[in-house]
Amino acid sequence: MKDLKVKNGYSESNFSNVSYLAKAFSKKSTLEDLNLLNNRITCTELFNLYEDLIQLKQNEKSNNNSVISATNRNNKSDSDVMNFPPPQIINLKRLVLAKNYLSTYPEDENKYPRVIGELLKMSHKLVYLDLSKCGISIKHLETIGDALTPKYTLPLKTLLLQKNNIGKHGLKPLVSALQHNTCLETLDISGNDIGVVGCDLLSQIMERNTGIKTLNLFGNFIEIEGCNLLCKALKQNTTLTSLDLGLNRIRVRGAIRTIAKAITIDNPNSIIQYIALAGNYLSTPKRSDISLLLNSVKERAMCFDLAKLVEVKDVKLLVIKNLFFKLTELLNNNGFVKLRRLTTIIQFV
């Protein structure tokens, strides 16, 4: 069996049979894709799984002569289970833990939020990890960041962290790791309210990272200050191809011009092919700003999402119509430039 789906709460695993999952994760198993979406799993139960994996490895080495009893797991200190190199025994390639209760653990026990990173260190084939809507915070990201360092050679390509509790300082543990990580290609941190401070940390990552191709920042309230910080990174980055800045309160006129300049004049080696600015309601952006954005990339195959970009109450119908015709003209002339949901700009009138 390669795929196993236990999701939507119809079969509430709750990890009650942890030992069975531990055996399923071992190298002897053919299981590659495990979907545990919405199963009320907590960090405490993940820690129990981690301990059983360690015991399984010990059993193999000692031929059942020096096994630590699972009944003593609550009496063990952190050093008993985490202060040695983790064996790479998890054979999974895809793991979905979205919509579980990973923020639920004893407040005075740091070992529980650390366990996600420790499980990643055991995974020598994992390429896809979905931790969306799990209550992930900076405590979880400390060991996740450690697992993403080149030291552990984790082949992870997609990391989904949508709608968690990362906040302003949550990305700090990932900065050093992702600056040197070349495997990760897709990072989704949408809906985490990282703000300007978090965007500063992210810009430090993107200035030096040479692996990430798709970055989703939708709904993080980075505002114009965060946008400017990110543009500094865009001037250096040569691997990013897709960037979603939708719904980030980037309301100041001139933001489009700043982005256009960052990926063209300031960085002619930029290979960005898609930019989303939907839902930012830029206050009466000049037609020349949007024209500059489109003209500046006319030699590239690019796609834009500018839906709900204009506050119509500040713009006359005539200006909107002229803007539409100008965009249409540029679209026809350039050929390579594509604009998603172009007509939505007019639909608000």
Side-chain angles (χ1 to χ4, degrees):
M1 180 174 66
K2 291 187 176 182
D3 301 333
L4 176 61
K5 295 181 181 180
V6 185
K7 62 179 183 177
N8 296 326
Y10 298 128
S11 177
E12 298 176 3
S13 66
N14 285 323
F15 277 46
S16 57
N17 295 319
V18 182
S19 59
Y20 294 131
L21 275 178
K23 292 177 181 178
F25 281 175
S26 69
K27 281 187 176 180
K28 296 179 181 179
S29 171
T30 58
L31 184 63
E32 295 181 349
D33 191 338
L34 180 61
N35 190 336
L36 293 170
L37 175 72
N38 194 19
N39 271 282
R40 304 180 184 180
I41 299 166
T42 68
C43 269
T44 305
E45 288 153 352
L46 282 182
F47 187 80
N48 294 342
L49 169 64
Y50 173 79
E51 284 192 319
D52 281 334
L53 285 168
I54 294 296
Q55 291 180 33
L56 183 64
K57 190 64 176 180
Q58 289 176 342
N59 288 345
E60 293 177 357
K61 290 184 177 181
S62 61
N63 294 320
N64 298 321
N65 291 326
S66 58
V67 182
I68 300 176
S69 174
T71 58
N72 295 325
R73 63 166 51 101
N74 293 328
N75 297 324
K76 288 189 262 183
S77 65
D78 292 2
S79 60
D80 291 327
V81 291
M82 289 188 173
N83 291 338
F84 56 88
Q88 293 188 325
I89 59 176
I90 298 179
N91 207 34
L92 289 177
K93 291 184 178 180
R94 292 172 54 91
L95 176 60
V96 176
L97 285 170
K99 295 185 179 181
N100 282 294
Y101 302 159
L102 302 187
S103 60
T104 303
Y105 56 86
E107 293 184 1
D108 57 341
E109 295 287 352
N110 290 328
K111 64 183 179 181
Y112 293 114
R114 289 174 55 195
V115 74
I116 299 175
E118 298 301 326
L119 288 171
L120 290 181
K121 294 173 185 177
M122 288 182 163
S123 308
H124 61 117
K125 293 185 178 181
L126 192 68
V127 295
Y128 181 96
L129 177 62
D130 188 352
L131 293 173
S132 301
K133 300 180 182 179
C134 285
I136 297 294
S137 66
I138 189 171
K139 290 185 178 180
H140 302 86
L141 291 175
E142 286 174 355
T143 48
I144 291 176
D146 189 29
L148 290 172
T149 58
K151 173 182 177 183
Y152 294 100
T153 63
L154 181 68
L156 191 67
K157 292 186 178 296
T158 299
L159 177 59
L160 306 182
L161 295 168
Q162 304 169 13
K163 296 183 180 180
N164 280 298
N165 301 323
I166 294 177
K168 297 178 180 178
H169 303 285
L171 292 178
K172 190 173 182 179
L174 298 184
V175 173
S176 178
L178 293 184
Q179 281 180 338
H180 301 94
N181 183 293
T182 57
C183 289
L184 191 66
E185 296 181 354
T186 299
L187 177 62
D188 189 340
I189 53 175
S190 58
N192 275 286
D193 194 17
I194 67 170
V196 177
V197 175
C199 202
D200 186 22
L201 295 170
L202 183 63
S203 67
Q204 295 176 37
I205 293 173
M206 298 308 296
E207 279 181 6
R208 299 182 60 181
N209 180 275
T210 58
I212 296 176
K213 297 179 180 180
T214 301
L215 178 62
N216 190 344
L217 287 176
F218 185 90
N220 270 295
F221 308 112
I222 67 171
E223 303 184 355
I224 186 63
E225 293 85 356
C227 181
N228 289 336
L229 288 169
L230 190 60
C231 282
K232 290 181 180 179
L234 295 180
K235 295 176 184 179
Q236 307 294 327
N237 188 281
T238 58
T239 54
L240 190 67
T241 61
S242 176
L243 175 63
D244 192 337
L245 293 174
L247 203 63
N248 269 294
R249 294 182 180 174
I250 305 173
R251 293 176 179 267
V252 179
R253 185 167 53 193
I256 293 179
R257 184 177 292 270
T258 303
I259 294 171
K261 188 171 180 290
I263 64 173
T264 54
I265 299 173
D266 295 332
N267 184 7
N269 295 320
S270 171
I271 60 171
I272 290 182
Q273 298 175 357
Y274 172 76
I275 294 180
L277 290 167
N280 279 297
Y281 294 99
L282 302 185
S283 299
T284 319
K286 295 180 180 179
R287 283 177 290 168
S288 59
D289 286 351
I290 298 181
S291 297
L292 172 66
L293 179 61
L294 296 177
N295 275 318
S296 62
V297 296
K298 62 183 179 180
E299 301 302 327
R300 284 198 240 158
M302 284 199 67
C303 181
F304 297 95
D305 186 348
L306 305 181
K308 300 182 181 180
L309 188 62
V310 180
E311 283 190 277
V312 177
K313 64 181 181 181
D314 296 328
V315 186
K316 294 181 180 179
L317 177 61
L318 180 61
V319 176
I320 291 291
K321 286 184 177 180
N322 289 339
L323 176 60
F324 173 75
F325 290 129
K326 179 63 177 177
L327 292 174
T328 304
E329 179 183 356
L330 287 169
L331 181 63
N332 293 332
N333 292 341
N334 294 334
F336 294 100
V337 180
K338 299 178 183 179
L339 193 63
R340 288 178 55 190
R341 291 182 286 178
L342 181 62
T343 56
T344 56
I345 297 177
I346 295 182
Q347 290 174 0
F348 292 95
V349 179

